[in-house]
Structure formats: C-alpha cells, structure tokens
Amino acid sequence: MAKRIAIFPGSFDPFTKGHYDIVNRGLKIFDEIIVAIGYNSKKQNRYFEIDMMVSKLKETFENEPRVSIIVYNKLTSNLAKDLGAGFLLRGLRNTTDFEYENSISQVNKYLNEELESVFLITAPQYAAISSTIIREVHRFSGNVDEFLPYKIEK
Ligand code: ADP
C-alpha cells in the first residue's frame, strides 16, 4: 500500500503545543507528516523568524523520523502534488476555525481532487491556545513557555 503522507500546513507563528498535539495524534493515522510553514497572504509580516521556527521544530521532532519540517511559498494543493502527499492535516478549535477550514478545504479539493483534508478536534487543554495570543504575550515580555513545546529567548 502507498505510504500515507500528510502535510500539516500553517503559518506557525509560533508553532504551539496545540499544533504539537495535532502532529502527535496525526502520527497514529499517517506514516509521515510534513510540517509545512507557509507564507499566508494575510500574514505577510511574521513575528517569529521563519528560520528560528524551522530550527526549533527540527529540535522538537529530532527523535521522530516520521516528521519533517519544510518552508513553502506556493499553493498548498500544489505542494501536496509535488511531495506526493495525499492528505492535508488541520486542527479545529471552534466554529470560527470550522468556517475558515471548510472554505479552504473546498478550494483545495477543487484545485487537487486527489487531496483529502483531515481535521482533528483540538484537545480541550489546548483549545484556548492561539499563535496570535502567544505573540501578544511575548511582545509584552510575558512568559510563553507554557504554550510552546520548545524554549525560546525572551
Ligand atoms: P493558518 O495561518 O494556516 O491558519 P496556523 O498556524 O494558525 O495557520 O494554524 C495551522 C493549523 O493548526 C490550523 O488548522 C489551525 O486551525 C490549527 N490550530 C491552531 N491552533 C491550534 C490549537 N491550539 N490546537 C489545535 N489546532 C490548532
């Protein structure tokens, strides 16, 4: 049987414990997960450097050979074709996520009919964690360690 390869695409600015939980649970479903850090057209200016995020993630998953980290700047549906990935993994926290994910998954299906989006419902302990809130806390020198699966400089 062909390998079940999933892409977990996102801005990951920063990658949080909520994202980490989705990857770990995704590993029960997929043979390989590619965490793909993309440039979201609405979020051009990152807060956390993309290179820093890549190295933190490589460190975080260094003992998990089934997870790899890449940066991309193209349509996610085309990235999936290029990498031979049949699945898109996404997390759902609430109805706002649902509305957004629903529309992008329809578009992705239209662009690449072979691609199946798979959604995992966030574990309750991570449901309130968002990259946006973490950026705000960090900006005002708050401690964000509790929300991240790695340590970052203050
Ligand atoms: P994007 O800019 O593409 O929305 P994000 O980095 O914000 O990228 O999120 C990537 C994916 O992770 C999305 O599917 C999002 O719903 C999901 N996600 C974000 N925060 C959490 C969380 N706390 N728990 C589970 N999934 C999450």
Side-chain angles (χ1 to χ4, degrees):
M1 205 174 75
K3 261 196 183 175
R4 302 172 82 85
I5 304 175
I7 295 179
F8 183 38
S11 316
F12 305 123
D13 189 19
F15 187 96
T16 70
K17 279 190 180 171
H19 297 130
Y20 187 59
D21 183 55
I22 297 294
V23 173
N24 285 322
R25 288 162 56 205
L27 285 171
K28 294 182 205 158
I29 307 172
F30 303 110
D31 298 313
E32 263 179 48
I33 297 178
I34 302 163
V35 177
I37 311 177
Y39 296 103
N40 183 322
S41 50
K42 283 189 295 184
K43 300 178 189 168
Q44 287 289 2
N45 300 310
R46 292 185 65 89
Y47 178 82
F48 292 102
E49 291 270 343
I50 212 154
D51 293 347
M52 187 273 269
M53 200 49 54
V54 170
S55 71
K56 294 292 176 190
L57 287 179
K58 287 195 167 155
E59 223 177 275
T60 304
F61 292 107
E62 67 185 349
N63 295 320
E64 183 41 85
R66 295 193 293 140
V67 175
S68 55
I69 320 298
I70 62 165
V71 172
Y72 77 107
N73 187 9
K74 60 170 82 165
L75 278 174
T76 307
S77 55
N78 286 341
L79 178 74
K81 270 185 206 155
D82 295 350
L83 298 175
F87 304 92
L88 277 187
L89 175 61
R90 299 283 287 178
L92 286 181
R93 282 166 296 185
N94 47 41
T95 53
T96 312
D97 276 356
F98 175 80
E99 299 279 338
Y100 178 62
E101 297 295 336
N102 187 27
S103 56
I104 36 178
S105 82
Q106 308 291 350
V107 174
N108 282 328
K109 193 78 192 164
Y110 167 78
L111 294 170
N112 176 353
E113 211 190 326
E114 299 299 305
L115 192 57
E116 293 298 343
S117 297
V118 174
F119 303 95
L120 292 181
I121 301 285
T122 307
Q125 65 270 38
Y126 305 122
I129 301 181
S130 75
S131 300
T132 309
I133 291 173
I134 292 173
R135 289 195 296 275
E136 283 307 294
V137 174
H138 191 267
R139 200 190 303 278
F140 295 106
S141 305
N143 186 357
V144 294
D145 289 352
E146 187 53 33
F147 308 114
L148 307 177
Y150 46 81
K151 293 260 182 290
I152 48 166
E153 290 67 43
K154 294 269 146 40

